[in-house]
Structures are given as structure tokens and as C-alpha cells.
Amino acid sequence: MKFTQYDDQNVFAKILRGEIPCTKVHETEHCLAFQDIAPQAKVHVLVIPKGAYLSWADFSANASTAEQADYIAAIGDTARALGVDETGYRILANHGHDSHQEVPHLHTHILAGQPLGPMLEGGDLPPDTEYVRK
Ligand code: AMP
């Protein structure tokens, strides 16, 4: 799916407006962290900016320095609040079609609570894969 314009009817915009519930884990001036509704690990939390940003690409280009700083700190503070600093965690944010982004509001996944295995399901790339190097 290609998202070009922010859709204020997306599910995370509704959560931010309080139109649908979430299980809040952490909140800052610019961010909200809540439990993923379909967890893919024992710990699976999403951290979103309160501003209307489609994805990492939009946020990194257009969010204020204060919003960006708050977001980075909020992700680390959320992980600390979850108690997974010592055991470890994975953070990831999907942007755009190739990443399989489903919700068009920036969100960073925090996955933890168990060994998470290799980074990508499916393992190694096929031998004939052309790498993109710039
Ligand atoms: P992505 O594929 O990176 O766009 O991930 C979207 C994530 O949002 C998935 O992990 C979903 O389980 C999660 N999700 C969708 N709707 C909700 C909701 N109402 N509350 C919490 N998490 C949600």
C-alpha cells in the first residue's frame, strides 16, 4: 500500500482522539505508547508520535526537533518502563510498501520478553539478490 496523504481516520489517530481504547504504557508531551492489539512477542508495544505523521520518512523530514527528540527518548523510556533493558529488545518501524506498513501513522514496535531470533523471518536472501548500495 502506498500512503501519500495523512488519513485522520486511521486507527492510531482514533486512539489519540480517545475514540477507541488502548492499553497505555507510557505518555509524554509528544508521544503515546500502548500495547499492540495482536502481539507478536511476549512484550509488544507501539510508540507513536501525537502529531499527524504518516511514517518514519514523513516524521524525520517534517517533525520538529522537539518532537523528534521526545520520540527517541520515549521509545527508550518505554522499554525501561517495560523492564526489558537488561534482557534486550528489538525496535522497528515500517515505512511504505516494501516494509508491509499497515497503519498509516508512524509507529515504532518494541518487541521483547523472549529470544526474538534472527532479524527477518525467512532468513538469508536468495544468492542472486542484487543489493542496493548507494
Ligand atoms: P505495521 O504492520 O507496522 O503497520 O503494524 C501495525 C500494528 O498495529 C500491528 O502490529 C497491529 O497489531 C497493530 N494494531 C492495529 N490496530 C490496533 C489497535 N487498535 N490497538 C493496538 N494495536 C493495533
Side-chain angles (χ1 to χ4, degrees):
M1 210 179 305
K2 192 169 182 218
F3 307 116
T4 49
Q5 263 203 317
Y6 188 80
D7 172 10
D8 68 4
Q9 293 307 305
N10 79 73
V11 68
F12 296 164
K14 290 181 180 175
I15 285 176
L16 285 168
R17 291 195 296 267
E19 292 168 13
I20 57 173
C22 74
T23 304
K24 187 165 87 176
V25 175
H26 183 62
E27 185 168 10
T28 67
E29 182 184 357
H30 295 293
C31 304
L32 179 68
F34 53 90
Q35 300 286 352
D36 194 291
I37 204 168
Q40 293 188 40
K42 283 187 183 160
V43 174
H44 189 172
V45 166
L46 303 173
V47 187
I48 66 172
K50 290 180 179 173
Y53 298 103
L54 277 168
S55 71
W56 193 271
D58 184 15
F59 185 74
S60 59
N62 299 313
S64 68
T65 304
E67 287 174 300
Q68 296 195 21
D70 189 75
Y71 193 54
I72 289 172
I75 293 168
D77 289 343
T78 299
R80 257 182 295 285
L82 291 164
V84 296
D85 253 14
E86 240 177 70
T87 45
Y89 57 89
R90 179 173 296 156
I91 54 178
L92 77 89
N94 291 318
H95 160 68
H97 175 274
D98 280 2
S99 73
H100 205 270
Q101 180 183 2
E102 288 180 337
V103 178
H105 180 115
L106 172 61
H107 48 286
T108 296
H109 299 255
I110 300 177
L111 298 151
Q114 63 186 78
L116 295 166
M119 192 162 74
L120 294 179
E121 203 181 315
D124 295 339
L125 290 168
D128 60 349
T129 300
E130 278 187 41
Y131 291 88
V132 177
R133 290 211 171 96
K134 289 184 179 169

